[in-house]
Coordinates of all heavy atoms in Angstrom, one line a residue:
M312 N 0.8 -1.2 0.0 CA 0.0 0.0 0.0 C 0.9 1.2 0.0 O 1.9 1.3 0.7 CB -0.9 0.0 1.2 CG -1.9 1.0 1.3 SD -3.0 0.6 2.6 CE -3.8 2.1 2.8
T313 N 0.6 2.2 -0.8 CA 1.4 3.5 -0.9 C 0.8 4.5 0.1 O -0.4 4.6 0.3 CB 1.4 4.0 -2.3 OG1 0.0 4.3 -2.7 CG2 2.0 3.1 -3.3
R314 N 1.8 5.3 0.6 CA 1.3 6.3 1.5 C 1.3 7.6 0.8 O 2.1 7.9 0.0 CB 2.4 6.4 2.7 CG 2.4 5.2 3.5 CD 3.4 5.3 4.6 NE 2.8 6.1 5.7 CZ 3.5 6.6 6.7 NH1 4.8 6.4 6.8 NH2 2.9 7.3 7.6
R315 N 0.3 8.4 1.1 CA 0.2 9.7 0.5 C 0.7 10.7 1.5 O 0.5 10.6 2.7 CB -1.3 10.0 0.3 CG -1.8 9.2 -0.9 CD -3.2 9.7 -1.2 NE -3.7 9.0 -2.4 CZ -4.8 9.2 -2.9 NH1 -5.6 10.0 -2.4 NH2 -5.2 8.5 -4.0
V316 N 1.4 11.7 1.0 CA 2.0 12.8 1.8 C 0.9 13.9 1.8 O 0.5 14.4 0.8 CB 3.3 13.3 1.3 CG1 3.8 14.5 2.1 CG2 4.3 12.2 1.2
S317 N 0.6 14.3 3.0 CA -0.4 15.4 3.1 C 0.2 16.7 2.6 O 1.4 16.9 2.7 CB -1.0 15.5 4.5 OG 0.0 16.0 5.4
R318 N -0.6 17.6 2.2 CA -0.1 18.9 1.7 C 0.6 19.7 2.8 O 1.5 20.5 2.5 CB -1.3 19.7 1.1 CG -1.8 19.1 -0.1 CD -2.9 20.0 -0.6 NE -3.6 19.3 -1.7 CZ -3.5 19.7 -3.0 NH1 -2.8 20.8 -3.3 NH2 -4.1 19.1 -3.9
S319 N 0.3 19.5 4.1 CA 0.9 20.3 5.1 C 2.3 19.9 5.4 O 3.1 20.6 6.0 CB 0.1 20.1 6.4 OG 0.1 18.8 6.8
R320 N 2.8 18.7 4.9 CA 4.1 18.3 5.1 C 5.0 18.6 3.9 O 6.2 18.3 3.9 CB 4.1 16.8 5.3 CG 3.6 16.3 6.6 CD 3.8 14.9 6.7 NE 3.2 14.4 7.9 CZ 3.2 13.1 8.3 NH1 3.7 12.2 7.5 NH2 2.7 12.7 9.4
R321 N 4.6 19.3 2.9 CA 5.4 19.6 1.8 C 6.5 20.6 2.2 O 6.3 21.4 3.1 CB 4.5 20.3 0.7 CG 3.8 19.3 -0.1 CD 3.2 20.0 -1.3 NE 2.3 19.1 -2.0 CZ 1.5 19.5 -3.0 NH1 1.4 20.7 -3.3 NH2 0.8 18.6 -3.6
E322 N 7.6 20.5 1.5 CA 8.7 21.4 1.7 C 8.3 22.8 1.1 O 7.5 22.9 0.2 CB 9.9 21.0 1.0 CG 10.5 19.7 1.6 CD 11.8 19.3 0.9 OE1 12.4 20.1 0.2 OE2 12.1 18.1 1.0
P323 N 8.9 23.9 1.7 CA 8.6 25.2 1.2 C 9.1 25.3 -0.3 O 10.0 24.6 -0.7 CB 9.4 26.2 2.1 CG 10.2 25.3 2.9 CD 9.8 23.9 2.8
T324 N 8.5 26.2 -1.0 CA 8.9 26.3 -2.4 C 10.3 26.8 -2.5 O 10.9 27.5 -1.7 CB 8.0 27.3 -3.1 OG1 8.1 28.6 -2.5 CG2 6.5 26.8 -3.2
F325 N 11.0 26.4 -3.6 CA 12.4 26.7 -3.8 C 12.5 28.1 -4.5 O 11.8 28.3 -5.5 CB 13.0 25.7 -4.7 CG 14.4 26.0 -5.1 CD1 15.5 25.8 -4.2 CD2 14.7 26.4 -6.4 CE1 16.8 26.1 -4.5 CE2 16.1 26.7 -6.7 CZ 17.1 26.5 -5.8
D326 N 13.3 29.0 -3.9 CA 13.5 30.3 -4.5 C 15.0 30.4 -4.9 O 15.8 30.6 -4.0 CB 13.1 31.4 -3.5 CG 13.2 32.8 -4.1 OD1 13.4 32.9 -5.3 OD2 13.2 33.7 -3.3
A327 N 15.2 30.4 -6.2 CA 16.6 30.4 -6.6 C 17.4 31.6 -6.3 O 18.5 31.6 -5.9 CB 16.6 30.1 -8.1
A328 N 16.7 32.8 -6.3 CA 17.3 34.1 -6.0 C 17.8 34.1 -4.6 O 18.9 34.5 -4.3 CB 16.4 35.2 -6.3
T329 N 17.0 33.6 -3.7 CA 17.3 33.6 -2.3 C 18.5 32.7 -2.0 O 19.4 33.0 -1.3 CB 16.1 33.2 -1.4 OG1 15.0 34.1 -1.7 CG2 16.4 33.2 0.1
E330 N 18.4 31.5 -2.6 CA 19.5 30.5 -2.4 C 20.8 31.0 -3.0 O 21.9 30.9 -2.4 CB 19.1 29.2 -3.1 CG 18.1 28.4 -2.3 CD 18.5 28.1 -0.9 OE1 19.6 27.6 -0.7 OE2 17.7 28.3 0.0
A331 N 20.8 31.7 -4.2 CA 22.0 32.2 -4.8 C 22.6 33.3 -3.9 O 23.8 33.4 -3.7 CB 21.7 32.7 -6.2
A332 N 21.7 34.2 -3.3 CA 22.2 35.2 -2.4 C 22.9 34.6 -1.2 O 23.9 35.1 -0.7 CB 21.1 36.2 -2.1
R333 N 22.2 33.6 -0.6 CA 22.8 32.9 0.6 C 24.1 32.3 0.2 O 25.1 32.4 1.0 CB 21.8 31.8 1.0 CG 22.3 31.2 2.3 CD 21.4 30.0 2.7 NE 21.3 28.9 1.7 CZ 22.3 28.0 1.6 NH1 23.3 28.0 2.4 NH2 22.2 27.1 0.7
L334 N 24.3 31.6 -0.9 CA 25.5 31.0 -1.3 C 26.6 32.1 -1.5 O 27.8 31.9 -1.2 CB 25.3 30.2 -2.6 CG 24.5 28.9 -2.4 CD1 24.2 28.3 -3.7 CD2 25.3 27.9 -1.5
R335 N 26.3 33.2 -2.2 CA 27.2 34.3 -2.4 C 27.7 34.8 -1.0 O 28.9 35.1 -0.9 CB 26.6 35.4 -3.2 CG 26.7 35.1 -4.7 CD 26.4 36.4 -5.5 NE 25.0 36.9 -5.3 CZ 23.9 36.4 -5.9 NH1 24.0 35.5 -6.8 NH2 22.7 36.9 -5.6
A336 N 26.8 35.0 -0.1 CA 27.2 35.5 1.2 C 28.2 34.5 1.9 O 29.1 34.8 2.6 CB 26.0 35.8 2.1
D337 N 27.8 33.2 1.8 CA 28.7 32.2 2.4 C 30.1 32.2 1.7 O 31.1 32.0 2.4 CB 28.0 30.8 2.2 CG 28.8 29.7 2.8 OD1 29.2 29.9 4.0 OD2 29.0 28.6 2.2
T338 N 30.1 32.3 0.4 CA 31.4 32.4 -0.3 C 32.2 33.6 0.2 O 33.4 33.5 0.4 CB 31.2 32.5 -1.8 OG1 30.5 31.3 -2.2 CG2 32.5 32.6 -2.6
R339 N 31.6 34.7 0.4 CA 32.2 35.9 0.8 C 32.9 35.7 2.2 O 34.0 36.1 2.5 CB 31.2 37.1 0.9 CG 31.8 38.4 0.6 CD 30.8 39.5 0.4 NE 29.5 39.4 1.1 CZ 28.3 39.1 0.4 NH1 28.3 39.0 -0.9 NH2 27.2 39.0 1.1
D340 N 32.1 35.0 3.1 CA 32.6 34.7 4.4 C 33.8 33.8 4.4 O 34.7 33.9 5.2 CB 31.5 34.1 5.3 CG 30.5 35.2 5.7 OD1 30.8 36.4 5.6 OD2 29.3 34.8 6.1
R341 N 33.8 32.8 3.5 CA 34.9 31.9 3.4 C 36.1 32.5 2.9 O 37.2 32.1 3.3 CB 34.5 30.7 2.5 CG 33.5 29.8 3.1 CD 33.0 28.8 2.1 NE 31.9 28.0 2.6 CZ 32.0 26.7 2.8 NH1 33.2 26.1 2.6 NH2 31.0 26.0 3.3
R342 N 36.0 33.5 2.0 CA 37.2 34.2 1.5 C 37.8 35.2 2.4 O 38.9 35.7 2.2 CB 36.8 34.9 0.2 CG 36.5 33.9 -1.0 CD 36.3 34.7 -2.2 NE 35.9 33.8 -3.3 CZ 35.3 34.2 -4.4 NH1 34.9 35.5 -4.5 NH2 35.0 33.4 -5.3
R343 N 37.1 35.6 3.4 CA 37.5 36.6 4.3 C 38.8 36.2 5.0 O 39.0 35.1 5.4 CB 36.4 36.8 5.4 CG 36.6 38.1 6.1 CD 35.4 38.5 6.9 NE 34.3 38.8 6.1 CZ 33.0 38.7 6.3 NH1 32.6 38.1 7.5 NH2 32.1 39.0 5.5
V344 N 39.8 37.1 5.1 CA 41.1 36.9 5.7 C 40.9 36.7 7.2 O 40.2 37.6 7.8 CB 42.1 38.0 5.4 CG1 43.4 37.8 6.1 CG2 42.3 38.1 3.9
R345 N 41.4 35.6 7.7 CA 41.1 35.3 9.1 C 42.4 35.4 10.0 O 42.3 34.9 11.1 CB 40.5 34.0 9.3 CG 39.2 33.9 8.6 CD 38.5 32.6 8.9 NE 37.1 32.6 8.4 CZ 36.7 31.8 7.5 NH1 37.5 30.9 7.0 NH2 35.4 31.9 7.0
Y346 N 43.4 35.9 9.5 CA 44.7 36.0 10.3 C 45.1 37.4 10.6 O 44.7 38.3 9.9 CB 45.8 35.2 9.7 CG 46.1 35.6 8.2 CD1 46.9 36.7 8.0 CD2 45.5 35.0 7.2 CE1 47.1 37.1 6.7 CE2 45.7 35.4 5.9 CZ 46.5 36.4 5.6 OH 46.8 36.8 4.4
G347 N 45.9 37.6 11.6 CA 46.4 38.9 11.9 C 47.6 39.2 11.1 O 47.9 38.6 10.1
G348 N 48.4 40.2 11.6 CA 49.6 40.6 10.9 C 50.7 39.5 11.0 O 50.6 38.6 11.7
S349 N 51.7 39.8 10.2 CA 52.9 38.9 10.3 C 53.7 39.1 11.5 O 53.7 40.2 12.1 CB 53.8 39.2 9.1 OG 55.0 38.6 9.2
R350 N 54.3 38.1 12.0 CA 55.2 38.2 13.2 C 56.4 39.0 12.8 O 57.1 39.5 13.7 CB 55.5 36.9 13.8 CG 56.2 35.9 12.9 CD 56.5 34.7 13.7 NE 55.8 33.6 13.0 CZ 56.0 32.3 13.2 NH1 57.0 32.0 14.0 NH2 55.4 31.4 12.6
L351 N 56.7 39.3 11.5 CA 57.8 40.1 11.1 C 57.5 41.6 11.2 O 58.4 42.4 11.2 CB 58.2 39.7 9.7 CG 58.7 38.3 9.5 CD1 59.1 38.1 8.0 CD2 59.8 37.9 10.4
D352 N 56.2 41.9 11.3 CA 55.8 43.3 11.3 C 56.4 44.0 12.5 O 56.7 45.2 12.5 CB 54.3 43.4 11.3 CG 53.7 43.1 10.0 OD1 54.4 43.1 9.0 OD2 52.5 42.8 10.0
R353 N 56.6 43.3 13.6 CA 57.2 43.9 14.8 C 58.6 44.5 14.6 O 59.0 45.4 15.2 CB 57.4 42.8 15.9 CG 56.3 42.7 16.8 CD 56.6 41.8 18.0 NE 57.7 40.8 17.8 CZ 58.0 39.8 18.6 NH1 57.2 39.6 19.6 NH2 59.0 39.0 18.3
F354 N 59.3 43.9 13.6 CA 60.7 44.2 13.3 C 60.8 45.0 12.0 O 61.9 45.0 11.3 CB 61.5 43.0 13.2 CG 61.5 42.2 14.5 CD1 60.7 41.0 14.6 CD2 62.3 42.5 15.6 CE1 60.6 40.3 15.8 CE2 62.2 41.8 16.8 CZ 61.4 40.7 16.8
A355 N 59.7 45.6 11.5 CA 59.7 46.2 10.2 C 60.9 47.2 10.0 O 61.6 47.1 9.0 CB 58.4 46.9 10.0
R356 N 61.1 48.1 10.9 CA 62.2 49.1 10.7 C 63.5 48.4 10.6 O 64.3 48.7 9.7 CB 62.2 50.1 11.9 CG 61.2 51.2 11.8 CD 61.5 52.3 12.8 NE 62.3 51.9 13.9 CZ 61.9 52.0 15.2 NH1 60.7 52.5 15.5 NH2 62.7 51.6 16.2
E357 N 63.8 47.5 11.5 CA 65.1 46.8 11.5 C 65.3 45.9 10.3 O 66.4 46.0 9.7 CB 65.2 45.9 12.7 CG 65.2 46.6 14.1 CD 63.8 46.9 14.7 OE1 62.8 46.7 13.9 OE2 63.8 47.2 15.9
L358 N 64.2 45.2 9.8 CA 64.3 44.4 8.6 C 64.6 45.2 7.4 O 65.5 44.9 6.6 CB 63.1 43.6 8.4 CG 62.8 42.6 9.5 CD1 61.5 41.8 9.2 CD2 63.9 41.6 9.7
L359 N 63.9 46.4 7.2 CA 64.1 47.2 6.1 C 65.5 47.9 6.1 O 66.2 48.0 5.1 CB 63.0 48.3 6.0 CG 61.6 47.7 5.7 CD1 60.6 48.8 5.8 CD2 61.6 47.1 4.3
A360 N 66.0 48.2 7.3 CA 67.3 48.8 7.5 C 68.4 47.8 7.1 O 69.4 48.1 6.5 CB 67.5 49.3 8.9
L361 N 68.2 46.5 7.6 CA 69.2 45.5 7.3 C 69.2 45.2 5.8 O 70.3 45.1 5.2 CB 68.8 44.2 8.0 CG 69.1 44.2 9.5 CD1 68.5 43.0 10.2 CD2 70.6 44.2 9.7
R362 N 68.0 45.2 5.1 CA 68.0 45.0 3.7 C 68.7 46.2 3.0 O 69.4 46.0 2.0 CB 66.5 44.9 3.2 CG 66.3 44.4 1.8 CD 66.0 45.4 0.7 NE 65.5 46.6 1.1 CZ 64.2 47.0 0.9 NH1 63.4 46.2 0.4 NH2 63.8 48.2 1.3
D363 N 68.5 47.4 3.4 CA 69.1 48.6 2.8 C 70.6 48.5 3.0 O 71.3 49.1 2.1 CB 68.6 49.9 3.4 CG 67.1 50.1 3.0 OD1 66.7 49.5 2.0 OD2 66.5 51.0 3.7
Q364 N 71.1 47.9 4.0 CA 72.5 47.7 4.2 C 73.1 46.5 3.5 O 74.3 46.2 3.6 CB 72.9 47.6 5.7 CG 72.6 48.9 6.5 CD 73.4 50.1 5.9 OE1 74.6 49.9 5.7 NE2 72.8 51.2 5.7
G365 N 72.3 45.8 2.7 CA 72.8 44.7 1.9 C 72.7 43.4 2.5 O 73.3 42.4 1.9
A366 N 72.1 43.2 3.6 CA 72.0 41.9 4.2 C 71.1 41.0 3.3 O 70.1 41.4 2.8 CB 71.4 42.0 5.6
T367 N 71.5 39.7 3.2 CA 70.7 38.7 2.4 C 69.5 38.2 3.3 O 69.5 38.4 4.5 CB 71.6 37.5 2.0 OG1 71.9 36.8 3.2 CG2 72.8 37.9 1.3
T368 N 68.6 37.6 2.6 CA 67.4 37.1 3.4 C 67.9 36.0 4.4 O 67.3 35.9 5.5 CB 66.4 36.5 2.4 OG1 67.0 35.5 1.6 CG2 65.8 37.6 1.5
A369 N 68.8 35.2 4.0 CA 69.3 34.2 5.0 C 70.0 34.9 6.2 O 69.8 34.4 7.3 CB 70.3 33.3 4.3
E370 N 70.7 35.9 6.0 CA 71.3 36.7 7.1 C 70.2 37.3 8.0 O 70.3 37.3 9.2 CB 72.3 37.7 6.6 CG 73.5 37.1 5.9 CD 74.3 38.1 5.1 OE1 73.8 39.2 4.8 OE2 75.5 37.8 4.9
I371 N 69.2 37.9 7.4 CA 68.1 38.4 8.1 C 67.4 37.4 8.9 O 67.0 37.6 10.0 CB 67.2 39.2 7.2 CG1 67.9 40.4 6.6 CG2 65.9 39.7 7.9 CD1 67.1 41.2 5.5
Q372 N 67.2 36.2 8.3 CA 66.6 35.1 9.0 C 67.4 34.7 10.2 O 66.8 34.5 11.3 CB 66.5 33.9 8.0 CG 66.0 32.6 8.7 CD 66.3 31.3 8.0 OE1 67.2 31.3 7.1 NE2 65.6 30.3 8.3
R373 N 68.7 34.7 10.1 CA 69.5 34.4 11.3 C 69.4 35.4 12.3 O 69.3 35.2 13.5 CB 71.0 34.2 10.9 CG 71.3 32.9 10.2 CD 72.7 32.5 10.2 NE 73.6 33.6 9.8 CZ 74.0 33.8 8.5 NH1 73.5 33.1 7.5 NH2 74.8 34.8 8.3
W374 N 69.3 36.7 11.9 CA 69.1 37.8 12.9 C 67.8 37.6 13.6 O 67.8 37.8 14.8 CB 69.2 39.1 12.1 CG 69.0 40.3 12.9 CD1 70.1 41.0 13.6 CD2 67.8 41.1 13.3 NE1 69.6 42.1 14.3 CE2 68.2 42.1 14.1 CE3 66.5 40.9 12.9 CZ2 67.3 43.0 14.6 CZ3 65.6 41.8 13.4 CH2 66.0 42.8 14.2
L375 N 66.8 37.3 12.9 CA 65.5 37.0 13.5 C 65.5 35.8 14.5 O 65.0 35.8 15.6 CB 64.4 36.8 12.5 CG 64.0 38.0 11.7 CD1 63.2 37.6 10.5 CD2 63.1 38.9 12.6
R376 N 66.3 34.8 14.1 CA 66.4 33.6 14.9 C 67.1 34.0 16.3 O 66.7 33.4 17.3 CB 67.2 32.5 14.2 CG 67.4 31.3 14.9 CD 66.1 30.5 15.0 NE 66.4 29.2 15.7 CZ 65.7 28.7 16.6 NH1 64.5 29.3 16.9 NH2 66.0 27.6 17.1
E377 N 68.0 34.9 16.3 CA 68.6 35.3 17.5 C 67.6 36.0 18.4 O 67.8 36.0 19.6 CB 69.7 36.3 17.2 CG 70.9 35.7 16.5 CD 71.9 36.8 16.0 OE1 71.7 38.0 16.2 OE2 72.9 36.3 15.4
R378 N 66.5 36.5 17.9 CA 65.5 37.1 18.6 C 64.3 36.2 18.8 O 63.2 36.6 19.1 CB 65.0 38.4 17.9 CG 66.0 39.5 18.2 CD 66.3 40.4 17.0 NE 67.4 41.3 17.3 CZ 68.6 41.0 17.1 NH1 69.0 39.8 16.7 NH2 69.6 41.9 17.4
R379 N 64.5 34.9 18.6 CA 63.6 33.8 18.8 C 62.3 33.9 17.9 O 61.2 33.6 18.3 CB 63.1 33.8 20.3 CG 64.2 33.5 21.2 CD 63.8 33.5 22.7 NE 64.9 33.3 23.5 CZ 65.1 32.1 24.2 NH1 64.3 31.1 24.1 NH2 66.2 32.1 25.0
V380 N 62.6 34.3 16.7 CA 61.5 34.4 15.7 C 62.0 33.4 14.6 O 62.9 33.6 13.9 CB 61.3 35.8 15.1 CG1 60.3 35.7 14.0 CG2 61.0 36.8 16.1
R381 N 61.2 32.3 14.5 CA 61.6 31.2 13.5 C 60.8 31.4 12.3 O 59.6 31.2 12.3 CB 61.4 29.9 14.1 CG 62.3 29.6 15.3 CD 62.2 28.2 15.7 NE 62.7 27.3 14.7 CZ 62.6 26.0 14.7 NH1 62.0 25.4 15.7 NH2 63.0 25.2 13.7
V382 N 61.4 31.8 11.2 CA 60.8 31.9 9.9 C 61.8 31.4 8.8 O 63.0 31.4 9.0 CB 60.3 33.3 9.5 CG1 59.2 33.8 10.4 CG2 61.5 34.2 9.6
H383 N 61.2 30.9 7.7 CA 62.1 30.5 6.6 C 62.6 31.7 5.8 O 61.9 32.7 5.8 CB 61.2 29.6 5.7 CG 62.0 28.8 4.7 ND1 62.4 29.2 3.5 CD2 62.6 27.5 4.9 CE1 63.1 28.2 2.9 NE2 63.3 27.2 3.7
H384 N 63.7 31.6 5.2 CA 64.3 32.7 4.5 C 63.4 33.2 3.4 O 63.3 34.4 3.0 CB 65.7 32.5 4.0 CG 65.8 31.5 2.9 ND1 65.7 31.8 1.6 CD2 66.0 30.2 3.0 CE1 65.9 30.8 0.9 NE2 66.1 29.7 1.7
S385 N 62.6 32.2 2.8 CA 61.7 32.7 1.7 C 60.5 33.5 2.3 O 60.0 34.4 1.6 CB 61.1 31.4 1.0 OG 60.3 30.7 1.9
T386 N 60.2 33.3 3.5 CA 59.2 34.1 4.2 C 59.7 35.5 4.3 O 59.0 36.5 4.1 CB 58.8 33.5 5.6 OG1 58.3 32.2 5.4 CG2 57.7 34.4 6.2
V387 N 61.0 35.6 4.7 CA 61.6 37.0 4.8 C 61.6 37.6 3.5 O 61.3 38.8 3.4 CB 63.0 36.8 5.4 CG1 63.7 38.2 5.4 CG2 63.0 36.2 6.8
A388 N 62.0 36.9 2.4 CA 62.0 37.5 1.1 C 60.6 38.0 0.6 O 60.5 39.1 0.1 CB 62.6 36.5 0.1
R389 N 59.6 37.2 0.9 CA 58.2 37.6 0.5 C 57.8 38.9 1.3 O 57.2 39.8 0.8 CB 57.2 36.5 0.8 CG 57.0 35.6 -0.3 CD 55.8 34.7 -0.1 NE 55.6 34.3 1.2 CZ 56.1 33.2 1.8 NH1 56.9 32.4 1.0 NH2 55.8 32.8 3.0
W390 N 58.2 38.9 2.6 CA 57.8 40.0 3.5 C 58.5 41.3 2.9 O 57.9 42.3 2.8 CB 58.2 39.7 4.9 CG 57.7 40.8 5.9 CD1 56.6 40.7 6.6 CD2 58.4 42.0 6.2 NE1 56.4 41.9 7.3 CE2 57.5 42.7 7.1 CE3 59.6 42.6 5.8 CZ2 57.9 43.9 7.6 CZ3 59.9 43.8 6.3 CH2 59.0 44.5 7.2
L391 N 59.8 41.2 2.6 CA 60.5 42.3 2.1 C 59.9 42.8 0.7 O 59.9 44.0 0.5 CB 62.0 42.0 1.9 CG 62.8 41.8 3.3 CD1 64.1 41.3 3.0 CD2 62.8 43.2 4.0
R392 N 59.5 41.9 -0.1 CA 59.0 42.2 -1.4 C 57.7 43.0 -1.2 O 57.4 44.0 -1.9 CB 58.7 41.0 -2.2 CG 59.6 40.8 -3.4 CD 59.1 39.8 -4.4 NE 58.5 38.6 -3.9 CZ 59.1 37.5 -3.5 NH1 60.4 37.4 -3.5 NH2 58.4 36.5 -3.0
R393 N 56.8 42.5 -0.3 CA 55.5 43.2 0.0 C 55.6 44.5 0.7 O 54.9 45.4 0.4 CB 54.6 42.2 0.7 CG 54.2 41.1 -0.1 CD 53.3 40.1 0.7 NE 53.0 39.0 -0.1 CZ 52.6 37.8 0.4 NH1 52.5 37.7 1.7 NH2 52.4 36.8 -0.4
R394 N 56.5 44.6 1.7 CA 56.6 45.8 2.5 C 57.6 46.8 2.1 O 57.5 48.0 2.3 CB 56.9 45.4 4.0 CG 55.8 45.2 4.9 CD 54.9 44.1 4.5 NE 53.9 43.6 5.4 CZ 53.6 42.4 5.4 NH1 54.1 41.5 4.5 NH2 52.6 41.9 6.2
G395 N 58.6 46.3 1.4 CA 59.7 47.2 0.9 C 59.5 47.6 -0.5 O 58.4 47.4 -1.1
D396 N 60.4 48.3 -1.0 CA 60.4 48.7 -2.4 C 61.1 47.8 -3.3 O 61.4 48.1 -4.5 CB 60.9 50.1 -2.6 CG 60.1 51.2 -1.9 OD1 58.8 51.0 -1.9 OD2 60.7 52.1 -1.4
G397 N 61.5 46.6 -2.8 CA 62.3 45.7 -3.6 C 61.6 44.5 -4.0 O 61.2 43.8 -4.7

């Protein structure tokens, strides 16, 4: 015997515009940057001064290591590219 579903149990009608707006808002929230600044930002003046004096990224990395900041030299290079003029 088949069961009939009463009209009161039907799902609400599908509204594509509402769903698309909800999905766009969800995508916007997922793309939002969720991290703070770089730990290198604390040393911005010193890092830029060392770079201006000709220090390599590996040397700057060692300088940071002496101050208990562990980063890869490529991270230092990226930071300098973004914050400096180089």
Side-chain angles (χ1 to χ4, degrees):
M312 186 169 165
T313 59
R314 295 179 79 192
R315 291 187 176 179
V316 177
S317 67
R318 292 180 188 251
S319 62
R320 290 188 182 176
R321 281 189 183 168
E322 293 182 17
T324 58
F325 177 75
D326 183 13
T329 303
E330 287 299 315
R333 184 186 62 79
L334 290 169
R335 277 192 298 276
D337 185 48
T338 300
R339 214 173 22 254
D340 289 341
R341 289 173 186 247
R342 287 184 184 161
R343 198 168 288 152
V344 177
R345 295 189 174 119
Y346 53 85
S349 169
R350 59 181 116 163
L351 300 182
D352 289 340
R353 268 189 339 194
F354 303 99
R356 279 195 337 239
E357 293 90 343
L358 296 177
L359 293 173
L361 286 168
R362 195 259 336 253
D363 290 343
Q364 291 300 315
T367 66
T368 56
E370 292 167 342
I371 294 173
Q372 175 198 19
R373 285 197 315 268
W374 182 85
L375 287 164
R376 180 70 175 138
E377 292 169 0
R378 281 140 190 86
R379 298 178 185 252
V380 178
R381 294 186 67 186
V382 292
H383 198 268
H384 70 87
S385 65
T386 302
V387 175
R389 267 194 324 274
W390 188 92
L391 289 170
R392 249 193 327 271
R393 289 180 184 157
R394 269 55 166 215
D396 294 326

